[in-house]
Amino acid sequence: MTSVLTRPVPAARRPGDTRGPADTLFRRLLLFNVVVVTVAGVLLAITPVTVSNPLSWPEGIVLALGSALMVAINAVLVRATLRPLDGLTSLMERVDLLRPGQRLAPTSDRTVGHLVDTFNQMLDRLEHEREASSAHALAAQEDERRRIARELHDEVGQSLTAVLLGLRRTADRCPESLRGEVAEIQETVRDCLDEVRTVARRLRPGVLDDLGLSSALHALGADVSRAGDLPVTVRIDDRLPDLPPDTELAIYRVAQEGLTNVTRHADATSAGIEVVVGRRGEKLFVRIVDDGRGPVGAVEGGGIRGMRERAILVHGDLTVNEAPGGGTRLELAVPLGRSTAGGGR
């Protein structure tokens, strides 16, 4: 498994340093109020405006207008200072670590800008930690898949093969009246053996290791087509460059989960499913399109979130939208020439 590099954590503010963003913001707001009150006092001192007791109507109107002006100026200055916090709050509400790259735009205000930079750095650390933990978790998952697939093939598969051979010898020696039942048992064991091999192949596709991504995706499409009675068309660009093993595995797993979601939830019709792998500029894309119900109103489940985690590991971007003619369009875009963040085969 590829090791994951850790990013440096910004140094914490010293305990004796009280000039943090909150303290600076407080001083700025206090300065605004002092300036407004001072200006109002100077204007009152140098203008012929007086306040008598009892207060007359003209004096009351002037005093009310002056107070309203002071409040308005103070509100404008405070609002201009706090406006970037609206964007910070909005981003905090919608941020999702499975959709990396969401950041606040820098601002010229040094006080609020420091807060924005700190929040963006926090998102950098959280996304990096999520990427690292996902890499370790998925690597452990792949190791477990490999172990289970090997045990199914070597242990359970071999045992079922031995049972099948024993039944064949028994069928040759048993009475004619029992040969029909033995033959039925043979077919049942043979079906079980096929299921075990299919499960082992899904857990760990040997064709991906032996023949590469293109052959593995064609084999996957054929398996899904047979299992779901839906035609699966796989079209792969022959000019694709060689990909790192981790990237091939991530693409295969995304395609596998995408096709599984279609067969289980999309209610696709006889038009079937289309899987396209090609190159667009400096990115490789994998697109899965069906003509089923579409993603409108659907809640993203564990399958979609798992695909997003796979996409993050190869610095890719996963989108799930409604297809132009109805149905669902799932697309994974992976930048070429970059290694994965972690994970193993």
Side-chain angles (χ1 to χ4, degrees):
M1 179 179 64
T2 306
S3 62
V4 181
L5 299 177
T6 57
R7 296 180 182 175
V9 179
R13 189 159 46 95
R14 293 189 299 270
D17 187 5
T18 59
R19 296 182 61 83
D23 184 70
T24 306
L25 188 60
F26 165 75
R27 294 183 183 185
R28 176 174 296 187
L29 295 178
L30 179 62
L31 179 62
F32 287 162
N33 284 276
V34 170
V35 169
V36 171
V37 173
T38 301
V39 170
V42 171
L43 291 177
L44 186 62
I46 65 177
T47 58
V49 177
T50 60
V51 179
S52 60
N53 188 14
L55 187 68
S56 64
W57 281 105
E59 293 173 342
I61 294 174
V62 172
L63 187 61
L65 292 176
S67 299
L69 182 61
M70 289 173 56
V71 172
I73 294 174
N74 192 51
V76 170
L77 294 176
V78 172
R79 181 57 182 163
T81 302
L82 299 181
R83 183 175 292 111
L85 298 181
D86 291 338
L88 178 63
T89 304
S90 176
L91 180 59
M92 292 174 66
E93 291 175 348
R94 69 175 187 272
V95 67
D96 185 355
L97 296 182
L98 290 179
R99 294 176 173 85
Q102 303 178 78
R103 297 292 183 274
L104 282 176
T107 176
S108 58
D109 188 292
R110 289 193 303 172
T111 302
V112 180
H114 178 73
L115 183 60
V116 169
D117 291 340
T118 302
F119 182 72
N120 288 340
Q121 291 173 9
M122 182 195 69
L123 288 181
D124 288 338
R125 294 195 302 271
L126 290 177
E127 288 179 1
H128 178 70
E129 292 169 2
R130 175 61 184 263
E131 182 178 327
S133 62
S134 296
H136 291 305
L138 291 175
Q141 183 185 84
E142 290 298 331
D143 290 340
E144 189 66 11
R145 284 172 178 260
R146 185 186 299 108
R147 185 188 65 81
I148 295 175
R150 185 171 55 249
E151 291 185 357
L152 285 175
H153 182 272
D154 296 342
E155 302 295 334
V156 181
Q158 295 297 331
S159 298
L160 288 176
T161 301
V163 171
L164 192 60
L165 293 175
L167 288 173
R168 184 176 301 173
R169 290 193 299 268
T170 301
D172 294 336
R173 299 194 303 266
C174 71
E176 188 68 28
S177 59
L178 297 178
R179 288 186 179 179
E181 296 181 12
V182 175
E184 291 180 1
I185 297 175
Q186 281 182 290
E187 290 301 320
T188 301
V189 174
R190 187 175 289 108
D191 291 341
C192 291
L193 182 59
D194 291 339
E195 287 294 331
V196 168
R197 289 172 177 169
T198 300
V199 171
R201 188 167 58 251
R202 289 176 181 173
L203 286 172
R204 188 63 194 180
V207 65
L208 180 62
D209 298 324
D210 299 334
L211 301 178
L213 180 62
S214 178
S215 299
L217 290 177
H218 279 99
L220 176 64
D223 289 342
V224 173
S225 181
R226 285 194 300 267
D229 293 330
L230 281 173
V232 178
T233 303
V234 179
R235 294 191 289 111
I236 301 178
D237 192 342
D238 295 332
R239 299 169 296 174
L240 294 180
D242 293 334
L243 300 173
D246 290 341
T247 302
E248 287 190 348
L249 180 60
I251 291 173
Y252 180 85
R253 291 301 186 199
V254 168
Q256 184 181 44
E257 185 62 38
L259 290 174
T260 300
N261 282 349
V262 171
T263 56
R264 289 180 178 175
H265 310 296
D267 293 334
T269 66
S270 58
I273 311 165
E274 183 183 48
V275 180
V276 180
V277 181
R279 181 170 181 171
R280 185 186 302 124
E282 293 302 315
K283 289 187 176 182
L284 179 144
F285 69 89
V286 182
R287 184 170 61 243
I288 301 176
V289 181
D290 67 80
D291 59 351
R293 292 182 300 178
V296 178
V299 179
E300 289 193 359
I304 297 292
R305 298 186 70 83
M307 286 188 280
R308 293 195 185 281
E309 290 182 348
R310 296 276 185 184
I312 289 174
L313 294 185
V314 292
H315 310 285
D317 181 35
L318 183 79
T319 57
V320 182
N321 301 311
E322 186 172 4
T328 303
R329 175 192 176 110
L330 182 147
E331 182 167 313
L332 170 67
V334 180
L336 296 172
R338 297 187 61 178
S339 61
T340 57
R345 297 195 65 182

